[in-house]
Amino acid sequence: MRFAENGTIIDLESKVIYNNICCYCGACGAFCPEYITYENQIPVTKKKCFEIHGACFDFCPRSFLPLFEMEKEIFGAIRSDVELGYYTRILSVKASGDTVIKTGQDGGVATALLAYLMDKGKIDAACVCKKSDDEVWKPEPCVAATTEEILSSSGSKYEQTPMIVAVADAINNYETIAMVGLPCHIQAMRKIQLSKAFDVCAGKVKYVIGLFCTETFDRDLLLAKLAEIGVDIDKVNKFDISAEKFKIYTDDGVITENIKAMKSCVREGCNVCYDFAAELADISIGSAGSEDGWNTVIVRSKVGEKLINDAKKAGAIKVKSMDEKSIKLVRTLASGKKKENMKKIMQIADPVKILNLVVEPQHLQMLL
Ligand SMILES: Cc1cc2nc3c(=O)[nH]c(=O)nc-3n(C[C@H](O)[C@H](O)[C@H](O)COP(=O)(O)OP(=O)(O)OC[C@H]3O[C@@H](n4cnc5c(N)ncnc54)[C@H](O)[C@@H]3O)c2cc1C
């Protein structure tokens, strides 16, 4: 689709980067590394580009996001659920294999689906997020070309990382690709796939798997917070956010912080995000709404529907239905994020753009 808005690298700098709303997804620099690099988790212009219509602006999820048009293109229909986006089914799902269950964050479904696709030869690369070899718990985008690499990158890392850089790497070297990412990564992925102005062969990305996300943490602030509450990050085995709690699993036991106490660590760019449920993914995966050891899975596209059905048939996952009360809980969390971030969005966006966020009228009136 041809997006209605154009922008240069200077527009990207002024509207997104210097406005502190960059989400550090990697979309602006991934395909133009000679012009844009990343330093201290923000894009930095290495060389000015003189394109009046820049791919960096076109691909950025924070420059503009024509949500309804994008939904129509991806799903063939537009949402009727404001909080969760377009979907066909919402399910509770769990990986079947013991290895995945042991290493996975919740039900291990993200990893199980990627491993299933790789084992069946349906993909030759998966863009995942591994832990850095150099800095403890630092997430890094990674192209996994084997099931072992997929398994070793399971588990949630609560900092942001430019996943689209791995997508560009995979597109350059592989033919059929799956990617996993946070809502901002998924928005970027879809803008890249739908762009008619710039063809970077993004059609090679056949499966777009989203994760629920309330926020990511700034690394320096998170490290300072851990030091303040007496946690040695070298001893952390797992971080987890569920039921309003931030849990830190260490060699010495589990430390639990109220999620509100962690708000001071949130990345500034996350405060303008209006998507909890990775609304543009083929399927979205989270923990909220399902019992421990299971995932909540929102099935959205035909690709997502086929993936869940085929993986279930092959015995890679177990699936059960979700009741309306549990789904309501997911909707409440999504609504809570939208409401909380709306104030910040109102301060910086022009009013007409805000309508593109699919705002519930009562939320908007509350803030006017
Ligand atoms: C920053 C963050 C915030 C989240 N917030 C919520 C929330 O508020 N509510 C909720 O229900 N769920 C949230 N989730 C999702 C949840 O933590 C699990 O990722 C999800 O339930 C899938 O579980 P799983 O067992 O299938 O994961 P696994 O099978 O362990 O697979 C997880 C996949 O996510 C990838 N991954 C890990 N960290 C990142 C990252 N930073 N960026 C991109 N990809 C990554 C891994 O490479 C792996 O492929 C969040 C996840 C993250 C990373």
Side-chain angles (χ1 to χ4, degrees):
M1 67 193 275
R2 184 162 289 280
F3 296 129
E5 289 192 41
N6 288 352
T8 62
I9 198 168
I10 295 164
D11 294 316
L12 183 83
E13 289 170 342
S14 61
K15 290 188 178 170
V16 180
I17 303 167
Y18 302 138
N19 222 1
N20 295 329
I21 62 168
C22 167
C23 58
Y24 186 42
C25 65
C28 57
F31 299 95
C32 298
E34 65 278 32
Y35 292 99
I36 295 177
T37 184
Y38 296 94
E39 284 171 23
N40 300 320
Q41 307 206 342
I42 52 163
V44 174
T45 307
K46 272 163 70 175
K47 187 165 90 171
K48 275 282 186 267
C49 157
F50 296 102
E51 290 287 342
I52 288 173
H53 185 180
C56 55
F57 192 84
D58 207 60
F59 294 167
C60 170
R62 294 284 161 84
S63 55
F64 61 94
L65 194 75
L67 205 53
F68 281 174
E69 290 96 319
M70 292 174 78
E71 282 185 350
K72 192 86 208 296
E73 287 277 328
I74 301 161
F75 307 121
I78 296 170
R79 69 182 66 197
S80 53
D81 186 325
V82 172
E83 314 294 359
L84 299 180
Y86 179 82
Y87 59 84
T88 49
R89 292 194 289 165
I90 303 183
L91 304 162
S92 265
V93 186
K94 182 188 177 77
S96 303
D98 286 345
T99 324
V100 184
I101 289 173
K102 226 158 108 190
T103 58
Q105 183 71 15
D106 298 303
V109 173
T111 302
L113 292 176
L114 294 173
Y116 159 79
L117 289 169
M118 184 64 79
D119 289 344
K120 294 289 175 199
K122 291 174 191 286
I123 54 170
D124 52 12
C127 302
V128 290
C129 167
K130 65 168 191 159
K131 279 193 252 173
S132 158
D133 295 331
D134 307 319
E135 290 181 71
V136 65
W137 274 103
K138 186 171 182 181
E140 272 179 10
C142 155
V143 180
T146 63
T147 306
E148 289 66 37
E149 285 172 322
I150 290 171
L151 290 173
S152 68
S153 59
S154 65
S156 296
K157 297 99 195 165
Y158 287 97
E159 291 169 43
Q160 178 60 307
T161 199
M163 289 299 292
I164 303 297
V165 171
V167 172
D169 183 7
I171 285 174
N172 281 335
N173 296 292
Y174 298 93
E175 294 308 315
T176 43
I177 300 159
M179 64 91 64
V180 64
L182 300 173
C184 50
H185 300 131
I186 306 301
Q187 291 173 346
M189 188 68 251
R190 292 308 196 185
K191 280 190 81 178
I192 296 165
Q193 285 180 322
L194 292 175
S195 171
K196 286 279 181 289
F198 301 94
D199 181 2
V200 294
C201 300
K204 285 184 176 184
V205 181
K206 307 289 182 195
Y207 301 91
V208 176
I209 298 177
L211 304 173
F212 294 180
C213 181
T214 310
E215 66 239 327
T216 62
F217 298 129
D218 175 275
R219 184 169 180 82
D220 291 342
L221 297 175
L222 177 64
L223 292 179
K225 183 77 185 173
L226 293 176
E228 182 191 314
I229 55 179
V231 174
D232 177 356
I233 195 164
D234 288 319
K235 289 188 175 174
V236 175
N237 304 315
K238 180 176 177 176
F239 291 105
D240 190 41
I241 298 179
S242 63
E244 301 286 295
K245 300 274 184 293
F246 182 60
K247 290 188 183 158
I248 308 156
Y249 295 79
T250 72
D251 296 344
D252 308 322
V254 185
I255 293 130
T256 304
E257 279 288 298
N258 190 303
I259 196 67
K260 289 202 177 80
M262 300 302 296
K263 288 290 171 198
S264 57
C265 304
V266 173
R267 273 179 62 82
E268 193 171 355
C270 293
N271 292 326
V272 292
C273 179
Y274 206 64
D275 184 348
F276 168 80
E279 294 167 6
L280 298 178
D282 289 314
I283 62 164
S284 305
I285 311 178
S287 60
S290 286
E291 61 190 274
D292 281 356
W294 287 75
N295 285 112
T296 295
V297 173
I298 303 182
V299 186
R300 302 181 186 279
S301 68
K302 288 195 179 80
V303 169
E305 191 70 47
K306 184 164 168 26
L307 173 57
I308 289 293
N309 290 339
D310 290 352
K312 183 185 165 200
K313 219 179 283 168
I317 52 170
K318 292 175 189 156
V319 176
K320 59 183 187 179
S321 60
M322 253 178 97
D323 59 38
E324 194 43 47
K325 196 171 152 217
S326 309
I327 295 174
K328 203 169 160 208
L329 183 94
V330 186
R331 204 172 278 125
T332 304
L333 286 173
S335 174
K337 173 172 176 176
K338 287 175 192 282
K339 235 189 274 178
E340 191 172 330
N341 289 350
M342 176 49 79
K343 279 190 196 135
K344 177 78 181 165
I345 297 169
M346 295 276 290
Q347 284 166 12
I348 57 169
D350 93 50
V352 174
K353 288 232 178 82
I354 287 171
L355 298 176
N356 268 335
L357 296 169
V358 201
V359 182
E360 283 282 30
Q362 63 268 30
H363 290 177
L364 198 57
Q365 276 159 15
M366 200 177 72
L367 293 157
L368 286 173

